[in-house]
Amino acid sequence: MEFSESLKKYGDFQRVYKKGKSYANKYLVMYVLKQGTQENHIGISVSKKVGNSVVRHRITRLIRESYRLNEAAFEKGLDVVVVARPAIKDRSFSEVESSLLHLGRLHKICAVWRGEPHGRAGTLSS
């Protein structure tokens, strides 16, 4: 990820949970806290309720790759925590990506139109 780093520490996740704003859809919950830095910090949480370790790691990879491909469309200076819900278990990459972008649009931090993944022809000009 070119513009982002990972959130890894428990305290960082807790700060975003407590002070950030959250939106949810059927598959994901996204917490966002604006920091004003030049890069984003992204954390991904997939609990045991979603499945065994193989399933959890697969979901984590799908979310990380969805973010990575659309990273340029997200605002800079954010701490983002993405929490996977159990319904995401058997979803395809395109469904995970669509869900992530949907939450980005709800937070007004993502400028990609639905149906135009990877920051191509559907980016908004601001």
Side-chain angles (χ1 to χ4, degrees):
M1 291 185 281
E2 187 177 337
F3 307 111
S4 302
E5 291 183 4
S6 292
L7 279 179
K8 294 183 179 173
K9 296 187 178 180
Y10 175 79
D12 294 338
F13 276 80
Q14 290 303 311
R15 181 175 42 81
V16 176
Y17 288 142
K18 289 178 182 172
K19 295 181 181 179
K21 185 168 174 131
S22 69
Y23 283 108
N25 59 28
K26 189 174 182 179
Y27 304 124
L28 299 170
V29 180
M30 181 185 283
Y31 294 84
V32 175
L33 181 62
K34 297 192 184 223
Q35 289 300 328
T37 59
Q38 292 300 321
E39 59 189 18
N40 289 344
H41 297 101
I42 183 163
I44 300 170
S45 176
V46 185
S47 78
K48 288 184 178 181
K49 291 178 183 178
V50 175
N52 64 21
S53 66
V54 175
V55 173
R56 294 194 311 269
H57 289 312
R58 177 183 167 272
I59 298 303
T60 302
R61 288 191 308 270
L62 290 176
I63 294 170
R64 186 174 288 118
E65 183 68 1
S66 298
Y67 178 79
R68 186 188 70 82
L69 291 174
N70 295 287
E71 185 176 24
F74 281 84
E75 286 181 16
K76 305 293 181 273
L78 304 171
D79 284 353
V80 179
V81 174
V82 179
V83 180
R85 289 182 153 180
I88 202 170
K89 184 176 182 178
D90 297 317
R91 298 297 151 229
S92 67
F93 172 77
S94 61
E95 290 173 302
V96 173
E97 181 180 42
S98 176
S99 183
L100 183 75
L101 294 175
H102 172 251
L103 290 175
R105 287 189 303 276
L106 286 177
H107 277 288
K108 296 183 172 83
I109 60 168
C110 180
V112 175
W113 291 103
R114 184 178 197 110
E116 296 290 342
H118 313 306
R120 289 181 264 197
T123 58
L124 295 171
S125 57
S126 24

